[in-house]
Structure formats: structure tokens, C-alpha cells
Amino acid sequence: MAISAAMVKELRERTGVGMMECKTALVEANGDIEAAIEAMRKSGQARAAKKSGRTAAEGVVVIQIAENRRHGVMVEINCETDFVGKDAGFQSFAEAVAATALASPVKDAAELAVQPLIGDPSITVDAAREALIAKIGENIQVRRLLRFDGVEGALYSYRHGVRIGVVVALEGGDESLGRDIAMHVAASNPLCLSAEQVPAETLAKEKEIFKAQSLDSGKPEAIVDKMIEGRMRKYLEEVTLLGQPFVKDPEQSVEKLLKKAGARVLAFSRVEVGEGIEKKTENFAEEVMAQVRGS
């Protein structure tokens, strides 16, 4: 039978699945909406779509680097709870997604979603994600993919637990130094590599704050200028990788450590699970009371 736009709209509203998937399901069910819903529930599509709006701010960061250390990926996979983040099935899926990203030329999570999954090329990354949602019962998202290709020097990485991942491109040095620098980035979270890379608007804002603080001291203008200069210098040491004291030896800066080793950091990236996601605070007692009042 002919599938009308109204039927597709109704099925979409009832399941939360995309329009094309709804139309396909209706065609296969010969226009029977209830049968289409049942088939979608069995495949996990409807369940996955319904959960897609729920906050997923837990999960893992997975890093994979090629043997030549010139190529690598870092992927963030999110779920709703820390418990699921530790689940073996979830972590296995995350590792397969990262392997898929490394083996393909895709540049972001949207492109990665339609790639055949490493380990089971009969399904895409997104289809495997939906199947895992149906099995586990939580919203799962492949949120971010960072690529590192054709790197000069070599890539090194560090993962703190499963929630923080760092990749560093290092020229010179060795694997031990590369891992130490990545570990430092994980712990100290520098804003950028060097003072030259700090955005001009950030510097202007900090200078304005320091100036206001210094003027309140009542000291002469010449002294105030020197105070501002000193505070700005300290600020740049705090927010840049090269200026920061090395976490394993605070007596020397990262810059001095690198000079001793004859090495240079070309770039670095740091990803932390859930950063930038607004988490909903749940109050179990209030939720129960609301249910009591509504009954």
C-alpha cells in the first residue's frame, strides 16, 4: 500500500527514529504502524532513538596509534552512568570504534558513524551503537574523534584511568619522555603550548583584571605597571605547557626538560570525558515525592 507522509510522521513521533528509517519500516510492514513499531523495537532502533535525548556525560576516551607513530586517533565514547562506562561490552565497543577510526580516513564522528565496524564489518559503527543501547539500556554516543596524520616526529600518548586521554607530537626524545609529557598534560591541562599561542583576547582580559587589582593597592603607577608585568609573566607560566613546572620534577619547567633531552613538542591534544556537557542533577527524594503527589 502507499505510505503517506502522515503515517511516516506518526511513526516518527511515536518512536523518535529518523524519517527515512520510518518509511522503510512502514513499507516492510505493508503500512501497519503497530507492526512497524514492533519490528523497530526488536531491532533496537526505537529504543535507541528514544534514549538519544538523555544526557550521556560518562564513558571512556580511547587512543590508538599506528606502529610508525605518525598516525593516531583519540575517540570519546559516552554513556549515562559510570557503571556502564566500566562494562566490558561497552569498552569492547569503544576499542572497536577507535580501531575503525584508525583504519579509515574519516575526520569526525559523523563520518565515523557510517563506517563498517572493525571486528564485524557486516554492521556500521552506528548500527553497533544502537544494538548496544538495546542491550544495555542507556544512551550511548560516539561524541568526538581527533585525528593525527602525517605527523613530523612521533606520537606518544597517556590515558589517566579511562576518562582523560592525551596525545603528544614530539620531535626528538624517546618513548619515556613522550609519555612523561603526555602525563604532564593530563595532570596540568595547559591552555596551549607556548606564550605566543595564548589568544590575544585572553591576554587582554587577564591584563585588565590584574590592572584593576593592582590599582586598588594605591601604589604609584610605575610600580603598578611592574606588578602587572610580573603577574602576566606568572600567568603565562601557569597556562602554557612550556612554562609550567614539570609534574615529576617541579624544580624545572617543561621547556628546560625538553631542552636537556634535545626534544621539541610540536603539538598536543587533551580530551576529558563529558567536558562541556551540562549534567542534570538528580534528586531521588524529590523524584519520589513528585510521583507520590501525582498518584
Side-chain angles (χ1 to χ4, degrees), residues 54-62 74-82 85 90 141-144 146 160 162-165 189 270-280:
R54 286 165 36 172
T55 302
E58 299 296 332
V60 299
V61 174
V62 181
M74 184 156 52
V75 183
E76 178 187 359
I77 317 287
N78 295 136
C79 56
E80 295 179 43
T81 64
D82 180 56
F90 176 81
Q141 297 292 330
V142 180
R143 185 184 179 209
R144 283 186 284 180
L146 277 66
H160 187 71
V162 297
R163 295 183 57 86
I164 298 175
N189 194 14
R270 181 184 187 276
V271 169
E272 185 168 351
V273 168
E275 56 191 347
I277 298 176
E278 185 177 350
K279 297 183 182 181
K280 182 180 178 182

Side-chain angles (χ1 to χ4, degrees), residues 71-74 100-108 145-149:
H71 304 273
V73 295
M74 184 156 52
T100 302
L102 184 64
S104 62
V106 296
K107 296 178 181 178
D108 56 36
L145 163 63
L146 277 66
R147 293 201 70 85
F148 311 90
D149 288 321

Side-chain angles (χ1 to χ4, degrees), residues 60 62 84-96 132 159 162:
V60 299
V62 181
V84 166
K86 297 174 182 176
D87 176 76
F90 176 81
Q91 293 195 6
S92 177
F93 167 73
E95 291 289 346
L132 191 58
R159 195 167 69 144
V162 297

Side-chain angles (χ1 to χ4, degrees), residues 158-229:
Y158 172 76
R159 195 167 69 144
H160 187 71
V162 297
R163 295 183 57 86
I164 298 175
V166 176
V167 173
V168 172
L170 185 69
E171 185 179 72
D174 56 18
E175 185 173 353
S176 177
L177 179 64
R179 179 177 168 79
D180 277 352
I181 297 298
M183 184 188 299
H184 173 95
V185 172
S188 300
N189 194 14
L191 177 65
C192 52
L193 177 59
S194 63
E196 293 75 25
Q197 294 180 2
V198 178
E201 59 270 24
T202 301
L203 287 175
K205 183 178 178 181
E206 291 300 319
K207 191 171 184 178
E208 184 180 335
I209 292 170
F210 292 150
K211 185 175 183 180
Q213 292 173 344
S214 300
L215 287 173
D216 287 343
S217 68
K219 290 182 171 60
E221 188 174 340
I223 301 296
V224 166
D225 288 342
K226 288 187 178 296
M227 289 172 63
I228 294 171
E229 183 181 332

